[in-house]
Amino acid sequence: MTLQDHMRRAAGEALRSFPEALRPDIYVISLRISHGEYSNVRQLWDYAYDPYMAIGYNTEAHVRRNLEASSSADPVEVRWNYAYMLLEESGPVGHHLDDPVGTNLYLDEVRSLDLWYEGELPEDVEEEKSEALFAHFDEACIDVAKHLRSSGLIEQALGCDVPIVVFDMFRPIEPEATQAANPPHLVPDDYVTFQTT
């Protein structure tokens, strides 16, 4: 099994685990990418060592509850900002303590691609390798999102197609990653406006 096989399978299981009672109300799937949550080192480039993804969703009812709770809330922000989403997520998938299979597959893959490094490197080399590690996992997650759609898993789970918002709470990748992960007709205009203003 490859890392991509593992990630795709786990993402499909995450979709199938969405509560049946909420499925008709789900308008977006979230795919959160994390780098470095378990790193002891606080330098940015060290965060590439332990990337994982988690799949979640948000519902129309949750949007309404947030808007009712605050009369000054911006409806577009409440709908599309991950800070307002439920973030009822699947378990972590990738290089994470809770995913030993994913960890081994990830390390095997990045080592085979000569992306992995340990110890001191010249700063420019370390930066280049770290950027490559970020890009590698981001691309794997975008592939997962595309696979969920092309395989029909989203429509099977939800009965319709919805956008997948791909984001990292600590890196500004969301607009580009989300647009890469979805066909243009599924990325709403208000989402694009919110992300670009």
PDB file of all heavy atoms in Angstrom, residues 4 9 11 17 24-25 33 35-36 41 44-45 50 60-61 70-71 74 80 86 93 116 146 158 163 171 173-174 180:
ATOM      1  N   GLN A   4      -0.544   7.334  -0.570  1.00  0.00           N
ATOM      2  CA  GLN A   4      -1.748   7.868  -1.202  1.00  0.00           C
ATOM      3  C   GLN A   4      -2.927   6.911  -1.044  1.00  0.00           C
ATOM      4  O   GLN A   4      -4.050   7.340  -0.769  1.00  0.00           O
ATOM      5  CB  GLN A   4      -1.484   8.140  -2.682  1.00  0.00           C
ATOM      6  CG  GLN A   4      -2.337   9.237  -3.251  1.00  0.00           C
ATOM      7  CD  GLN A   4      -2.096  10.569  -2.550  1.00  0.00           C
ATOM      8  OE1 GLN A   4      -0.957  10.997  -2.414  1.00  0.00           O
ATOM      9  NE2 GLN A   4      -3.136  11.206  -2.080  1.00  0.00           N
ATOM     10  N   ARG A   9      -8.094   5.905   1.346  1.00  0.00           N
ATOM     11  CA  ARG A   9      -8.979   4.975   2.055  1.00  0.00           C
ATOM     12  C   ARG A   9      -9.491   5.590   3.358  1.00  0.00           C
ATOM     13  O   ARG A   9     -10.675   5.504   3.686  1.00  0.00           O
ATOM     14  CB  ARG A   9      -8.247   3.663   2.335  1.00  0.00           C
ATOM     15  CG  ARG A   9      -9.161   2.596   2.937  1.00  0.00           C
ATOM     16  CD  ARG A   9      -8.483   1.263   3.025  1.00  0.00           C
ATOM     17  NE  ARG A   9      -7.407   1.317   4.013  1.00  0.00           N
ATOM     18  CZ  ARG A   9      -6.597   0.309   4.293  1.00  0.00           C
ATOM     19  NH1 ARG A   9      -6.703  -0.821   3.631  1.00  0.00           N
ATOM     20  NH2 ARG A   9      -5.665   0.433   5.206  1.00  0.00           N
ATOM     21  N   ALA A  11      -9.797   8.745   4.065  1.00  0.00           N
ATOM     22  CA  ALA A  11     -10.726   9.832   3.760  1.00  0.00           C
ATOM     23  C   ALA A  11     -12.111   9.285   3.425  1.00  0.00           C
ATOM     24  O   ALA A  11     -13.135   9.848   3.839  1.00  0.00           O
ATOM     25  CB  ALA A  11     -10.193  10.684   2.619  1.00  0.00           C
ATOM     26  N   SER A  17     -18.338   7.990   7.915  1.00  0.00           N
ATOM     27  CA  SER A  17     -18.606   8.111   9.351  1.00  0.00           C
ATOM     28  C   SER A  17     -19.410   9.358   9.712  1.00  0.00           C
ATOM     29  O   SER A  17     -19.806   9.526  10.858  1.00  0.00           O
ATOM     30  CB  SER A  17     -17.288   8.116  10.136  1.00  0.00           C
ATOM     31  OG  SER A  17     -16.629   9.354   9.986  1.00  0.00           O
ATOM     32  N   PRO A  24     -27.888  15.424   5.172  1.00  0.00           N
ATOM     33  CA  PRO A  24     -28.619  16.316   4.257  1.00  0.00           C
ATOM     34  C   PRO A  24     -28.314  17.797   4.492  1.00  0.00           C
ATOM     35  O   PRO A  24     -28.570  18.630   3.626  1.00  0.00           O
ATOM     36  CB  PRO A  24     -30.096  16.017   4.561  1.00  0.00           C
ATOM     37  CG  PRO A  24     -30.092  14.683   5.208  1.00  0.00           C
ATOM     38  CD  PRO A  24     -28.803  14.590   5.967  1.00  0.00           C
ATOM     39  N   ASP A  25     -27.763  18.137   5.658  1.00  0.00           N
ATOM     40  CA  ASP A  25     -27.513  19.526   6.031  1.00  0.00           C
ATOM     41  C   ASP A  25     -26.052  19.943   5.820  1.00  0.00           C
ATOM     42  O   ASP A  25     -25.710  21.108   6.007  1.00  0.00           O
ATOM     43  CB  ASP A  25     -27.902  19.722   7.504  1.00  0.00           C
ATOM     44  CG  ASP A  25     -28.225  21.163   7.842  1.00  0.00           C
ATOM     45  OD1 ASP A  25     -28.828  21.846   6.996  1.00  0.00           O
ATOM     46  OD2 ASP A  25     -27.864  21.596   8.949  1.00  0.00           O
ATOM     47  N   ILE A  33      -5.083  20.484   7.064  1.00  0.00           N
ATOM     48  CA  ILE A  33      -3.706  20.009   7.018  1.00  0.00           C
ATOM     49  C   ILE A  33      -2.979  20.595   8.215  1.00  0.00           C
ATOM     50  O   ILE A  33      -3.117  21.781   8.521  1.00  0.00           O
ATOM     51  CB  ILE A  33      -3.001  20.451   5.722  1.00  0.00           C
ATOM     52  CG1 ILE A  33      -3.732  19.898   4.491  1.00  0.00           C
ATOM     53  CG2 ILE A  33      -1.541  20.012   5.720  1.00  0.00           C
ATOM     54  CD1 ILE A  33      -3.208  20.439   3.168  1.00  0.00           C
ATOM     55  N   HIS A  35       0.935  20.740  10.115  1.00  0.00           N
ATOM     56  CA  HIS A  35       2.369  20.449  10.085  1.00  0.00           C
ATOM     57  C   HIS A  35       2.951  20.839  11.438  1.00  0.00           C
ATOM     58  O   HIS A  35       2.832  21.984  11.855  1.00  0.00           O
ATOM     59  CB  HIS A  35       3.083  21.272   9.004  1.00  0.00           C
ATOM     60  CG  HIS A  35       2.790  20.835   7.619  1.00  0.00           C
ATOM     61  ND1 HIS A  35       3.528  19.893   6.962  1.00  0.00           N
ATOM     62  CD2 HIS A  35       1.824  21.219   6.747  1.00  0.00           C
ATOM     63  CE1 HIS A  35       3.046  19.719   5.744  1.00  0.00           C
ATOM     64  NE2 HIS A  35       2.007  20.505   5.593  1.00  0.00           N
ATOM     65  N   GLY A  36       3.556  19.898  12.108  1.00  0.00           N
ATOM     66  CA  GLY A  36       4.357  20.246  13.269  1.00  0.00           C
ATOM     67  C   GLY A  36       3.635  20.384  14.577  1.00  0.00           C
ATOM     68  O   GLY A  36       4.174  20.944  15.518  1.00  0.00           O
ATOM     69  N   VAL A  41      10.473  21.658  18.461  1.00  0.00           N
ATOM     70  CA  VAL A  41      11.225  22.797  17.955  1.00  0.00           C
ATOM     71  C   VAL A  41      10.247  23.809  17.386  1.00  0.00           C
ATOM     72  O   VAL A  41       9.295  23.453  16.711  1.00  0.00           O
ATOM     73  CB  VAL A  41      12.229  22.336  16.876  1.00  0.00           C
ATOM     74  CG1 VAL A  41      13.072  23.517  16.394  1.00  0.00           C
ATOM     75  CG2 VAL A  41      13.126  21.240  17.431  1.00  0.00           C
ATOM     76  N   LEU A  44       9.928  27.448  12.026  1.00  0.00           N
ATOM     77  CA  LEU A  44       8.951  27.129  10.989  1.00  0.00           C
ATOM     78  C   LEU A  44       9.341  25.896  10.195  1.00  0.00           C
ATOM     79  O   LEU A  44       8.522  25.022   9.944  1.00  0.00           O
ATOM     80  CB  LEU A  44       8.789  28.318  10.040  1.00  0.00           C
ATOM     81  CG  LEU A  44       7.903  28.073   8.813  1.00  0.00           C
ATOM     82  CD1 LEU A  44       6.475  27.802   9.239  1.00  0.00           C
ATOM     83  CD2 LEU A  44       7.963  29.242   7.860  1.00  0.00           C
ATOM     84  N   TRP A  45      10.594  25.796   9.792  1.00  0.00           N
ATOM     85  CA  TRP A  45      10.974  24.728   8.874  1.00  0.00           C
ATOM     86  C   TRP A  45      10.909  23.360   9.532  1.00  0.00           C
ATOM     87  O   TRP A  45      10.792  22.356   8.871  1.00  0.00           O
ATOM     88  CB  TRP A  45      12.359  25.002   8.289  1.00  0.00           C
ATOM     89  CG  TRP A  45      12.366  26.315   7.586  1.00  0.00           C
ATOM     90  CD1 TRP A  45      13.094  27.422   7.910  1.00  0.00           C
ATOM     91  CD2 TRP A  45      11.554  26.694   6.480  1.00  0.00           C
ATOM     92  NE1 TRP A  45      12.791  28.455   7.074  1.00  0.00           N
ATOM     93  CE2 TRP A  45      11.854  28.040   6.177  1.00  0.00           C
ATOM     94  CE3 TRP A  45      10.600  26.039   5.704  1.00  0.00           C
ATOM     95  CZ2 TRP A  45      11.242  28.736   5.143  1.00  0.00           C
ATOM     96  CZ3 TRP A  45       9.991  26.731   4.681  1.00  0.00           C
ATOM     97  CH2 TRP A  45      10.313  28.054   4.410  1.00  0.00           C
ATOM     98  N   ASP A  50       6.068  16.396  10.671  1.00  0.00           N
ATOM     99  CA  ASP A  50       4.960  15.508  11.056  1.00  0.00           C
ATOM    100  C   ASP A  50       3.616  15.990  10.516  1.00  0.00           C
ATOM    101  O   ASP A  50       2.722  16.345  11.269  1.00  0.00           O
ATOM    102  CB  ASP A  50       4.913  15.312  12.573  1.00  0.00           C
ATOM    103  CG  ASP A  50       4.921  16.622  13.344  1.00  0.00           C
ATOM    104  OD1 ASP A  50       4.922  17.681  12.711  1.00  0.00           O
ATOM    105  OD2 ASP A  50       4.923  16.559  14.580  1.00  0.00           O
ATOM    106  N   GLU A  60     -25.532  23.619   7.613  1.00  0.00           N
ATOM    107  CA  GLU A  60     -26.336  24.839   7.527  1.00  0.00           C
ATOM    108  C   GLU A  60     -26.867  25.217   8.904  1.00  0.00           C
ATOM    109  O   GLU A  60     -26.918  26.405   9.255  1.00  0.00           O
ATOM    110  CB  GLU A  60     -27.492  24.640   6.543  1.00  0.00           C
ATOM    111  CG  GLU A  60     -27.068  24.376   5.107  1.00  0.00           C
ATOM    112  CD  GLU A  60     -26.528  25.603   4.386  1.00  0.00           C
ATOM    113  OE1 GLU A  60     -26.466  26.685   5.000  1.00  0.00           O
ATOM    114  OE2 GLU A  60     -26.175  25.476   3.198  1.00  0.00           O
ATOM    115  N   ALA A  61     -27.260  24.233   9.706  1.00  0.00           N
ATOM    116  CA  ALA A  61     -27.793  24.516  11.039  1.00  0.00           C
ATOM    117  C   ALA A  61     -26.747  25.179  11.918  1.00  0.00           C
ATOM    118  O   ALA A  61     -27.055  26.088  12.705  1.00  0.00           O
ATOM    119  CB  ALA A  61     -28.300  23.228  11.687  1.00  0.00           C
ATOM    120  N   SER A  70     -24.772  35.931  17.279  1.00  0.00           N
ATOM    121  CA  SER A  70     -24.100  37.227  17.137  1.00  0.00           C
ATOM    122  C   SER A  70     -24.748  38.037  16.021  1.00  0.00           C
ATOM    123  O   SER A  70     -24.605  37.698  14.842  1.00  0.00           O
ATOM    124  CB  SER A  70     -22.614  37.020  16.829  1.00  0.00           C
ATOM    125  OG  SER A  70     -22.000  38.245  16.527  1.00  0.00           O
ATOM    126  N   SER A  71     -25.421  39.104  16.403  1.00  0.00           N
ATOM    127  CA  SER A  71     -26.110  39.922  15.394  1.00  0.00           C
ATOM    128  C   SER A  71     -25.134  40.690  14.509  1.00  0.00           C
ATOM    129  O   SER A  71     -25.493  41.148  13.430  1.00  0.00           O
ATOM    130  CB  SER A  71     -27.069  40.904  16.072  1.00  0.00           C
ATOM    131  OG  SER A  71     -26.334  41.754  16.946  1.00  0.00           O
ATOM    132  N   ASP A  74     -20.616  38.519  10.307  1.00  0.00           N
ATOM    133  CA  ASP A  74     -20.682  38.577   8.842  1.00  0.00           C
ATOM    134  C   ASP A  74     -21.125  37.205   8.342  1.00  0.00           C
ATOM    135  O   ASP A  74     -20.418  36.210   8.559  1.00  0.00           O
ATOM    136  CB  ASP A  74     -19.301  38.932   8.292  1.00  0.00           C
ATOM    137  CG  ASP A  74     -19.238  38.920   6.766  1.00  0.00           C
ATOM    138  OD1 ASP A  74     -20.267  38.629   6.110  1.00  0.00           O
ATOM    139  OD2 ASP A  74     -18.155  39.193   6.228  1.00  0.00           O
ATOM    140  N   TRP A  80     -17.786  30.550   5.736  1.00  0.00           N
ATOM    141  CA  TRP A  80     -16.579  30.044   5.088  1.00  0.00           C
ATOM    142  C   TRP A  80     -15.312  30.101   5.918  1.00  0.00           C
ATOM    143  O   TRP A  80     -14.298  29.536   5.520  1.00  0.00           O
ATOM    144  CB  TRP A  80     -16.356  30.766   3.760  1.00  0.00           C
ATOM    145  CG  TRP A  80     -17.451  30.482   2.793  1.00  0.00           C
ATOM    146  CD1 TRP A  80     -18.358  31.369   2.278  1.00  0.00           C
ATOM    147  CD2 TRP A  80     -17.805  29.216   2.231  1.00  0.00           C
ATOM    148  NE1 TRP A  80     -19.234  30.732   1.444  1.00  0.00           N
ATOM    149  CE2 TRP A  80     -18.922  29.408   1.397  1.00  0.00           C
ATOM    150  CE3 TRP A  80     -17.284  27.918   2.360  1.00  0.00           C
ATOM    151  CZ2 TRP A  80     -19.522  28.363   0.686  1.00  0.00           C
ATOM    152  CZ3 TRP A  80     -17.877  26.887   1.656  1.00  0.00           C
ATOM    153  CH2 TRP A  80     -18.971  27.112   0.833  1.00  0.00           C
ATOM    154  N   LEU A  86     -17.764  23.518  12.547  1.00  0.00           N
ATOM    155  CA  LEU A  86     -17.871  22.507  13.586  1.00  0.00           C
ATOM    156  C   LEU A  86     -16.530  21.839  13.875  1.00  0.00           C
ATOM    157  O   LEU A  86     -16.189  21.567  15.012  1.00  0.00           O
ATOM    158  CB  LEU A  86     -18.871  21.421  13.160  1.00  0.00           C
ATOM    159  CG  LEU A  86     -20.339  21.749  13.287  1.00  0.00           C
ATOM    160  CD1 LEU A  86     -21.164  20.739  12.512  1.00  0.00           C
ATOM    161  CD2 LEU A  86     -20.749  21.759  14.745  1.00  0.00           C
ATOM    162  N   VAL A  93      -4.569  11.488   9.872  1.00  0.00           N
ATOM    163  CA  VAL A  93      -4.046  10.542   8.885  1.00  0.00           C
ATOM    164  C   VAL A  93      -2.749  11.124   8.319  1.00  0.00           C
ATOM    165  O   VAL A  93      -2.747  12.239   7.798  1.00  0.00           O
ATOM    166  CB  VAL A  93      -5.042  10.293   7.735  1.00  0.00           C
ATOM    167  CG1 VAL A  93      -4.473   9.305   6.726  1.00  0.00           C
ATOM    168  CG2 VAL A  93      -6.373   9.800   8.286  1.00  0.00           C
ATOM    169  N   TRP A 116      13.465  13.800   2.872  1.00  0.00           N
ATOM    170  CA  TRP A 116      13.627  13.752   4.326  1.00  0.00           C
ATOM    171  C   TRP A 116      15.037  14.175   4.709  1.00  0.00           C
ATOM    172  O   TRP A 116      15.997  13.905   3.999  1.00  0.00           O
ATOM    173  CB  TRP A 116      13.361  12.338   4.813  1.00  0.00           C
ATOM    174  CG  TRP A 116      13.320  12.220   6.301  1.00  0.00           C
ATOM    175  CD1 TRP A 116      14.249  11.642   7.110  1.00  0.00           C
ATOM    176  CD2 TRP A 116      12.287  12.696   7.167  1.00  0.00           C
ATOM    177  NE1 TRP A 116      13.853  11.727   8.419  1.00  0.00           N
ATOM    178  CE2 TRP A 116      12.652  12.375   8.486  1.00  0.00           C
ATOM    179  CE3 TRP A 116      11.088  13.371   6.938  1.00  0.00           C
ATOM    180  CZ2 TRP A 116      11.873  12.690   9.588  1.00  0.00           C
ATOM    181  CZ3 TRP A 116      10.306  13.683   8.037  1.00  0.00           C
ATOM    182  CH2 TRP A 116      10.701  13.344   9.341  1.00  0.00           C
ATOM    183  N   LYS A 146      -9.646  15.420  -4.617  1.00  0.00           N
ATOM    184  CA  LYS A 146     -10.072  15.108  -5.985  1.00  0.00           C
ATOM    185  C   LYS A 146     -10.575  13.670  -6.094  1.00  0.00           C
ATOM    186  O   LYS A 146     -11.553  13.385  -6.794  1.00  0.00           O
ATOM    187  CB  LYS A 146      -8.918  15.344  -6.960  1.00  0.00           C
ATOM    188  CG  LYS A 146      -8.577  16.811  -7.150  1.00  0.00           C
ATOM    189  CD  LYS A 146      -7.402  16.966  -8.098  1.00  0.00           C
ATOM    190  CE  LYS A 146      -7.098  18.414  -8.392  1.00  0.00           C
ATOM    191  NZ  LYS A 146      -5.951  18.567  -9.301  1.00  0.00           N
ATOM    192  N   LEU A 158     -23.286  11.817   0.806  1.00  0.00           N
ATOM    193  CA  LEU A 158     -24.139  12.974   1.087  1.00  0.00           C
ATOM    194  C   LEU A 158     -25.351  13.095   0.178  1.00  0.00           C
ATOM    195  O   LEU A 158     -26.246  13.890   0.447  1.00  0.00           O
ATOM    196  CB  LEU A 158     -23.312  14.265   0.996  1.00  0.00           C
ATOM    197  CG  LEU A 158     -22.087  14.352   1.912  1.00  0.00           C
ATOM    198  CD1 LEU A 158     -21.377  15.681   1.720  1.00  0.00           C
ATOM    199  CD2 LEU A 158     -22.469  14.144   3.366  1.00  0.00           C
ATOM    200  N   PRO A 163     -18.474  21.403  -1.966  1.00  0.00           N
ATOM    201  CA  PRO A 163     -17.060  21.764  -2.023  1.00  0.00           C
ATOM    202  C   PRO A 163     -16.269  21.185  -0.854  1.00  0.00           C
ATOM    203  O   PRO A 163     -16.829  20.911   0.214  1.00  0.00           O
ATOM    204  CB  PRO A 163     -17.072  23.297  -1.966  1.00  0.00           C
ATOM    205  CG  PRO A 163     -18.389  23.663  -1.401  1.00  0.00           C
ATOM    206  CD  PRO A 163     -19.338  22.560  -1.740  1.00  0.00           C
ATOM    207  N   ARG A 171      -0.773  28.291   7.877  1.00  0.00           N
ATOM    208  CA  ARG A 171      -0.174  28.708   6.600  1.00  0.00           C
ATOM    209  C   ARG A 171      -1.294  29.178   5.679  1.00  0.00           C
ATOM    210  O   ARG A 171      -2.352  28.546   5.619  1.00  0.00           O
ATOM    211  CB  ARG A 171       0.563  27.533   5.927  1.00  0.00           C
ATOM    212  CG  ARG A 171       1.787  27.069   6.700  1.00  0.00           C
ATOM    213  CD  ARG A 171       2.496  25.933   5.957  1.00  0.00           C
ATOM    214  NE  ARG A 171       1.574  24.843   5.704  1.00  0.00           N
ATOM    215  CZ  ARG A 171       1.438  24.213   4.531  1.00  0.00           C
ATOM    216  NH1 ARG A 171       2.157  24.552   3.493  1.00  0.00           N
ATOM    217  NH2 ARG A 171       0.582  23.212   4.402  1.00  0.00           N
ATOM    218  N   ILE A 173      -2.649  28.820   2.783  1.00  0.00           N
ATOM    219  CA  ILE A 173      -2.749  28.027   1.554  1.00  0.00           C
ATOM    220  C   ILE A 173      -4.188  27.865   1.076  1.00  0.00           C
ATOM    221  O   ILE A 173      -4.422  27.360  -0.022  1.00  0.00           O
ATOM    222  CB  ILE A 173      -2.145  26.619   1.747  1.00  0.00           C
ATOM    223  CG1 ILE A 173      -2.979  25.807   2.757  1.00  0.00           C
ATOM    224  CG2 ILE A 173      -0.694  26.696   2.161  1.00  0.00           C
ATOM    225  CD1 ILE A 173      -2.695  24.332   2.740  1.00  0.00           C
ATOM    226  N   GLU A 174      -5.153  28.296   1.883  1.00  0.00           N
ATOM    227  CA  GLU A 174      -6.544  27.886   1.651  1.00  0.00           C
ATOM    228  C   GLU A 174      -7.116  28.252   0.287  1.00  0.00           C
ATOM    229  O   GLU A 174      -7.673  27.374  -0.385  1.00  0.00           O
ATOM    230  CB  GLU A 174      -7.442  28.427   2.762  1.00  0.00           C
ATOM    231  CG  GLU A 174      -8.865  27.952   2.636  1.00  0.00           C
ATOM    232  CD  GLU A 174      -9.735  28.362   3.800  1.00  0.00           C
ATOM    233  OE1 GLU A 174      -9.214  28.592   4.906  1.00  0.00           O
ATOM    234  OE2 GLU A 174     -10.944  28.457   3.589  1.00  0.00           O
ATOM    235  N   ALA A 180      -7.701  24.361  -6.196  1.00  0.00           N
ATOM    236  CA  ALA A 180      -7.057  23.221  -6.853  1.00  0.00           C
ATOM    237  C   ALA A 180      -7.807  21.922  -6.590  1.00  0.00           C
ATOM    238  O   ALA A 180      -7.799  21.010  -7.423  1.00  0.00           O
ATOM    239  CB  ALA A 180      -5.612  23.091  -6.378  1.00  0.00           C
TER     240      ALA A 180
END
